[in-house]
Amino acid sequence: MPKIKAAVCHAFGEPLRIETVNLAAPGSGEIEVTLKACAICHSDISYIDGAWGGTLPAVYGHEAAGTVSAIGDNVRGVELGDPVVVTLIRACGTCPSCAGGKPVACETGFDGGPLTTADGAPLHQAMYTGGFAERVVVDQSQVVKLSDTIGMEAASLLACGVITGVGAVVNAANLRAGQDVVVIGAGGVGLNAIQGARIAGARRIVAVDMSEEKLAMAREFGATDGVLATDEKPWRAAKAALGRGADAVFVTVGAIPAYDQAPQYLANGGKVIMVGMPHSGAHSTYEPVMLAATGQGMVGSKMGDVVIARDIPWMVDLYEQGRLKLDELISGRWTLEQINEAIADTKTGAAKRNVIVFP
């Protein structure tokens, strides 16, 4: 059984350990990918810190890209050496959600995984990926073949942060050209929601964040206006910039105050798109009569409601045209051995995306 290096989580809230682990060969319908890059998502950090529970020991990491290095039986569409993006979206293709065009909500559970510790004990492949490692074995439904013109570091961002933000706009909100948008949170996902709104033709895009630095960054990605979340009633400034309420408000952070305030930004008939994920057990409150009386709504959006075989090639094409910023999202490049430092830097909130780069 091949041995690889991986960053292993043994206890929530503790540093990851770089260890040699076992990786099984790909089985039927599976693909082995030798990774070139894996970005650090805040979801990884939330799991590592124990915010959502989970099975330990585990290898996290789910924004990955690399080249196909082995193929199991009954695999179609990729060949050895192909560059691919690796996502956490594992879909059976036949359950009601998959058959209804919602593979991100696949209802089929998957047991086991390709990883074991050096002594053969179980090792959880977190989020069906385990991307903080030199190689991964994943289901063929999780990968999308790439063109040769996109770099692996930029491509890795398409596995989660970009598709989540852009997809929330075009898929979950079905934003139309000329509509108005508020994006709460100008981090990695928020910047991509801003990009998605720009690409979709939004009239005005108001970014809301805690710092002027983040608001300046948001303008670089397409925000027309910025509002400090620290204002007493920031929705008033947002409505002043728009001249009205927003048609869609995207909450891209897991902060409960952001969720509590989100409906305040809406126009009549507008909707809140819930993207950011608070810790398990956290609650937000609303006045439902206001939503009912004004025809407003709230919609959850998981992974941008994407169909990766459809949406990732479209986003790669936008990138190649210069219309979707990917390279500009990368704040730092780190080795696997530096992963704890990269996580600490990500936690400061200053980074857009830190990427683990493999030789």
Side-chain angles (χ1 to χ4, degrees):
M1 185 176 290
K3 297 185 181 297
I4 61 169
K5 275 204 263 183
V8 181
C9 178
H10 286 276
F12 295 130
E14 293 188 2
L16 305 182
R17 300 184 209 165
I18 307 301
E19 299 177 2
T20 298
V21 303
N22 301 314
L23 180 71
S28 178
E30 293 182 333
I31 298 168
E32 179 191 275
V33 180
T34 296
L35 297 186
K36 300 298 182 183
C38 185
I40 297 173
C41 176
H42 279 280
S43 293
D44 294 314
I45 296 174
S46 292
Y47 268 118
I48 290 166
D49 286 345
W52 301 324
T55 302
L56 295 180
V59 178
Y60 293 96
H62 64 278
E63 288 193 358
T67 57
V68 176
S69 48
I71 299 175
D73 295 333
N74 303 310
V75 170
R76 296 179 298 173
V78 296
E79 299 178 357
L80 291 176
D82 280 347
V84 294
V85 60
V86 182
T87 77
L88 60 82
I89 302 170
R90 179 168 177 163
C92 71
T94 57
C95 72
S97 292
C98 287
K102 296 284 188 180
V104 297
C106 179
E107 299 166 35
T108 302
F110 301 98
D111 296 324
L115 296 171
T116 54
T117 64
D119 59 5
L123 178 58
H124 183 56
Q125 182 193 37
M127 292 179 273
Y128 304 130
T129 308
F132 294 154
E134 294 173 317
R135 282 181 277 167
V136 298
V137 169
V138 297
D139 188 78
Q140 62 181 331
S141 65
Q142 297 176 241
V143 306
V144 176
K145 184 178 175 180
L146 296 165
S147 68
D148 293 324
T149 57
I150 183 170
M152 291 289 100
E153 296 165 25
S156 70
L157 307 183
L158 291 166
C160 179
V162 176
I163 59 177
T164 297
V166 176
V169 174
V170 299
N171 295 327
N174 293 311
L175 193 78
R176 300 193 310 271
Q179 290 188 313
D180 292 314
V181 166
V182 169
V183 178
I184 302 177
V189 174
L191 292 175
N192 287 299
I194 289 167
Q195 291 204 87
R198 170 177 51 79
I199 291 165
R203 183 184 73 99
R204 281 188 174 269
I205 305 165
V206 178
V208 181
D209 202 278
M210 302 290 287
S211 73
E212 291 285 6
E213 291 79 10
K214 286 288 191 73
L215 294 180
M217 194 183 301
R219 289 185 177 92
E220 294 174 9
F221 282 79
T224 59
D225 302 272
V227 172
L228 281 171
T230 52
D231 290 353
E232 184 179 356
K233 294 183 178 179
W235 53 88
R236 289 184 174 176
K239 287 182 174 179
L242 296 173
R244 59 193 293 274
D247 297 293
V249 175
F250 299 88
V251 185
T252 67
V253 293
I256 291 301
Y259 273 102
D260 287 340
Q261 296 174 6
Q264 301 283 355
Y265 293 88
L266 288 175
N268 287 359
K271 53 190 171 183
V272 174
I273 311 299
M274 301 181 290
V275 183
M277 297 178 65
H279 290 190
S280 295
H283 295 274
S284 188
T285 57
Y286 303 94
E287 192 175 357
V289 67
M290 295 304 297
L291 297 177
T294 55
Q296 296 167 344
M298 304 186 73
V299 178
S301 177
K302 180 181 180 183
M303 300 292 296
D305 296 358
V306 294
V307 178
I308 61 173
R310 175 194 69 196
D311 293 337
I312 288 180
W314 165 66
M315 294 182 197
V316 170
D317 194 34
L318 289 177
Y319 167 75
E320 292 170 342
Q321 294 177 47
R323 296 167 61 196
L324 179 70
K325 296 178 184 287
L326 296 181
D327 301 291
E328 295 86 348
L329 288 166
I330 300 172
S331 301
R333 295 166 174 83
W334 310 73
T335 66
L336 184 63
E337 288 72 19
Q338 295 174 311
I339 191 165
N340 290 309
E341 291 90 337
I343 288 172
D345 184 74
T346 303
K347 284 183 174 182
T348 66
K352 298 184 285 289
R353 267 301 190 264
N354 282 316
V355 180
I356 303 299
V357 178
F358 298 88

